[in-house]
């Protein structure tokens, strides 16, 4: 059996739903990736002469290309799909139903506004078409996973994520720091957040908002760098629970621009000036220190009860992303047709990845952030806080976020194609 025969074979006839349903009753940890692996084993049995075992890279690549769309997008003919994300077998209406029509999903190629000529379409990856981006978006929409912008976590804009997410620059951590940054700016230069105040504000945020978790992204580059320079190596050491004698040296390393798990935080530290990322380096360092101090259970300036500290530590999450970044495009996602619940998308599917930036969802989330900040300002007695209008505050946050995006695009120098996608109301949750 040749590779072309595999790609032409109609694998949708494979009877796997009954087996998957049975497995779902036995395990709550089944993921789309595991389902794909299970289906590959069945097909490997059908084509033993070609597969040479599941370890054959060529066979693995062929089958992944063939099955990834079937698994994640659903079948156009019968509009049924397998959904076992929560441990149950639940056939759903597929993405090609009348509710969420694929032709309503608008994908547009955007000229990089920081370049005089747009060369990105051919510079790095060859031609990237709107249709290819649309197919990638459809694969994620088919899973019908939704996030509440006020409660669920934002991941960083990164293509190395193989599960449904919503994302914005810096994720939860970046949005919180943006709030602190604008808070200082409303003080007109006379109001400066100290290390103690930043730590106190993060604690208050964790204890008094509905956020389920607060995510900071790290990656293998950061972890390998710590191993090489400090001999802080896994599995002997864990970044979320290091030994006490390494707290100080590790904290200093993790506030350096070369030891960030995201390009966003690295850029904040490298280019803090007003014309670029417009965030004081002092404030970024203060936030990073507060994050790790609370994560490690050693707040430096604020005493917490054991219960309160446990709640804060439980909400703080480090998410480690694997491998190099290979995004073929940056896709800015518009969800203005949705309310607070927006569809999540998957940056990396099989061997193809893009990074998603949820523009409208981030703007909506900032309203929640400012509501928390207004409540904080009313009740805190230790500092005199600036007076601000909530709508104006959100507007300044949006302006700085846009400035940072444009700066990042300028630094990218057109290496990554830029697209926009508009999600229609039929793809939103009722």
């Amino acid at each position: 059996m040749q590779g072309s025969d595999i790609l032409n074979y109609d694998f949708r006839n494979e009877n796997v739903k009954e087996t998957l349903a049975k497995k779902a009753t036995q395990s709550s940890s089944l993921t789309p990736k595991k389902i794909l692996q299970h289906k590959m084993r069945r097909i490997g049995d059908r084509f033993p002469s070609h597969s040479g075992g599941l370890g054959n890279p060529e066979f693995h690549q062929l089958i992944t290309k063939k099955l990834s769309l079937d698994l994640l997008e659903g079948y156009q003919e019968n509009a049924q799909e397998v959904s076992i994300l929560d441990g149950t077998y639940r056939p759903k209406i597929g993405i090609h139903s009348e509710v969420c029509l694929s032709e309503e999903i608008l994908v547009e190629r955007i000229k990089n506004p920081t370049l005089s000529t747009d060369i990105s379409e051919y510079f790095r990856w060859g031609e990237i078409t709107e249709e290819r981006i649309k197919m990638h978006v459809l694969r994620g929409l088919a899973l019908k996973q939704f996030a509440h912008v006020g409660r669920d976590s934002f991941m960083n804009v990164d293509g190395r994520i193989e599960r449904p997410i919503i994302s914005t620059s810096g994720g939860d951590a970046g949005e919180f720091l943006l709030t602190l940054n604008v808070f200082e700016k409303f003080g007109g230069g006379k109001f400066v957040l100290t290390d103690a105040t930043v730590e106190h504000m993060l604690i208050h945020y964790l204890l008094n908002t509905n956020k389920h978790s607060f995510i900071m992204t790290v990656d293998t580059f950061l972890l390998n760098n710590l191993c090489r320079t400090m001999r802080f190596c896994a599995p002997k050491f864990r970044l979320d629970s290091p030994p006490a004698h390494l707290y100080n040296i590790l904290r200093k390393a993790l506030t350096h621009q070369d030891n960030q798990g995201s390009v966003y935080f690295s850029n904040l530290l490298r280019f803090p000036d007003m014309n670029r990322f417009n965030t004081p380096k002092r404030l970024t360092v203060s936030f990073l220190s507060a994050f790790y101090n609370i994560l490690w259970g050693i707040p430096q300036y604020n005493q917490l009860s054991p219960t309160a500290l446990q709640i804060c530590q439980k909400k703080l999450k480090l998410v480690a992303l694997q491998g190099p970044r290979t995004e073929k495009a940056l896709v800015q996602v518009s969800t203005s047709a949705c309310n607070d619940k927006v569809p999540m998308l998957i940056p990396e599917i099989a061997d193809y990845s893009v990074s998603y930036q949820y523009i409208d969802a981030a703007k909506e989330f900032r309203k929640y952030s400012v509501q928390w900040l207004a409540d904080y300002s009313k009740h805190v007695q230790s500092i005199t806080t600036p007076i601000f209008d909530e709508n104006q505050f959100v507007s300044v946050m949006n302006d700085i976020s846009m400035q940072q995006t444009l700066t990042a695009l300028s630094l990218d120098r057109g290496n990554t194609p830029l697209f926009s996608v508009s999600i229609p109301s039929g793809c939103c949750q009722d």
Side-chain angles (χ1 to χ4, degrees), residues 32-73:
K33 189 172 183 178
K34 289 183 179 180
I35 298 170
L36 181 60
Q37 291 170 345
H38 171 78
K39 204 169 182 182
M40 285 175 64
R41 284 195 293 271
R42 291 179 65 95
I43 297 167
D45 294 339
R46 179 175 290 277
F47 299 107
S49 61
H50 179 83
S51 68
L54 290 176
N56 185 315
E58 180 185 0
F59 174 76
H60 187 283
Q61 184 179 25
L62 287 169
I63 297 300
T64 298
K65 286 182 177 180
K66 181 65 180 175
L67 292 184
S68 60
L69 184 57
D70 286 346
L71 175 67
L72 297 174
E73 187 176 340

Side-chain angles (χ1 to χ4, degrees), residues 190-203:
K190 299 178 180 179
F191 177 70
V192 176
L193 293 172
T194 65
D195 291 345
T197 303
V198 169
E199 183 183 89
H200 184 266
M201 293 179 74
L202 180 55
I203 290 170

Side-chain angles (χ1 to χ4, degrees), residues 178 264 268 276-277 279 400-408:
L178 178 61
Y264 178 74
L268 286 177
R276 291 195 170 185
F277 281 83
T279 307
I400 293 179
S401 177
M402 177 60 69
Q403 176 187 347
Q404 292 175 345
T405 297
L406 291 174
T407 302

Side-chain angles (χ1 to χ4, degrees), residues 44-149:
D45 294 339
R46 179 175 290 277
F47 299 107
S49 61
H50 179 83
S51 68
L54 290 176
N56 185 315
E58 180 185 0
F59 174 76
H60 187 283
Q61 184 179 25
L62 287 169
I63 297 300
T64 298
K65 286 182 177 180
K66 181 65 180 175
L67 292 184
S68 60
L69 184 57
D70 286 346
L71 175 67
L72 297 174
E73 187 176 340
Y75 306 145
Q76 296 189 32
E77 288 84 352
N78 56 23
Q80 297 293 313
E81 63 175 307
V82 175
S83 178
I84 314 184
L85 292 179
D86 58 357
T88 60
Y89 172 71
R90 184 175 64 255
K92 295 182 178 180
I93 297 176
I95 200 64
H96 296 285
S97 69
E98 295 180 358
V99 178
C100 183
L101 299 175
S102 62
E103 58 265 24
E104 294 181 354
I105 300 171
L106 303 178
V107 177
E108 294 182 349
R109 180 81 164 80
I110 303 176
K111 181 182 181 299
N112 188 322
T114 67
L115 299 177
S116 57
T117 58
D118 194 359
I119 60 174
S120 58
E121 188 171 359
Y122 303 97
F123 184 75
R124 186 177 180 186
W125 300 110
E127 185 175 3
I128 307 296
T129 65
E130 287 91 344
E131 191 61 30
R132 188 64 185 85
I133 297 297
K134 184 175 181 178
M135 181 183 296
H136 200 76
V137 171
L138 284 170
R139 291 178 177 184
L141 287 175
L143 288 178
K144 295 188 175 180
Q145 299 295 303
F146 297 87
H148 189 289
V149 297

Side-chain angles (χ1 to χ4, degrees), residues 334-382:
S334 171
T335 54
S336 58
C338 305
N339 295 317
D340 283 348
K341 290 186 177 181
V342 299
M344 295 190 286
L345 298 173
I346 307 175
E348 184 172 11
I349 301 175
D351 60 346
Y352 195 93
S353 75
V354 304
S355 55
Y356 291 115
Q357 184 180 27
Y358 277 70
I359 303 295
D360 296 319
K363 290 179 179 179
E364 191 65 27
F365 169 70
R366 288 164 195 152
K367 297 177 184 178
Y368 288 91
S369 296
V370 175
Q371 289 172 6
W372 159 77
L373 185 60
D375 180 71
Y376 176 85
S377 299
K378 289 178 182 178
H379 294 90
V380 67
Q381 302 294 327
S382 58

